[in-house]
Amino acid sequence: MLILVRHGQTQANRHGLMLGRADPPLCDSGLEQAAVLARGLPRPARLVCSPLVRARQTAACFGVPVELDDRWIEMDYGRLDGCAASELDAAGWQAWRDDPHHVPAGGESMAAVGERVRDACADLVADAAAADVVVVSHVSPIKAAIAWALGVGDEVAWRMWVEDAAVCRIDTSGSTPRLLAFNDHAVHAAALQPSR
């Protein structure tokens, strides 16, 4: 199983800021989310992670060796990094949503994210078919991986919302990937239950 995990919350996430390559740590609630994720998910055969601090802190809670892979880093928002969504005008948002090849000033297109993530997913297919592979990443790469699993284009990214510390599951054991879970938080509830 390919298990995609979004990192826990940061202060920037809490305040609704666009957070790309900026590298803040998890806030206290994000650290707790990461610990709950690690308790609620199976021990992975492989743990792959974005190189950004918020993802590495989340991955560290699993207690297994971490493989850093730059292909899972968040989209580069360029000059919009750290800004509130309201700082981009309606025409700017429309251009971004209408064209997956649109590049925000100094940043990266959704198509570029999709290309690198599809390569990363293809590299994990065989291992994820045999055992659980957890990838700790960010909103845009997770959206790109979901698009890969569904066999659709990068333009669907704007139709998804990925929550803090959410889990998505992709079965790679068949001839094509199958999306089994999206934005799953059931793992959180299970991890908070007392042991029997």
Side-chain angles (χ1 to χ4, degrees), residues 137-164:
S137 189
H138 311 270
V139 169
S140 299
I142 291 173
K143 289 179 178 183
I146 299 302
W148 165 81
L150 297 175
V152 297
D154 299 313
E155 65 278 359
V156 302
W158 295 106
R159 295 175 179 236
M160 292 183 242
W161 179 265
V162 181
E163 297 176 357
D164 294 334

Side-chain angles (χ1 to χ4, degrees), residues 108-135:
E108 178 182 29
S109 71
M110 193 63 218
V113 175
E115 184 176 347
R116 63 179 160 85
V117 168
R118 282 189 294 277
D119 287 344
C121 288
D123 287 348
L124 296 175
V125 165
D127 285 348
D132 289 328
V133 174
V134 170
V135 176

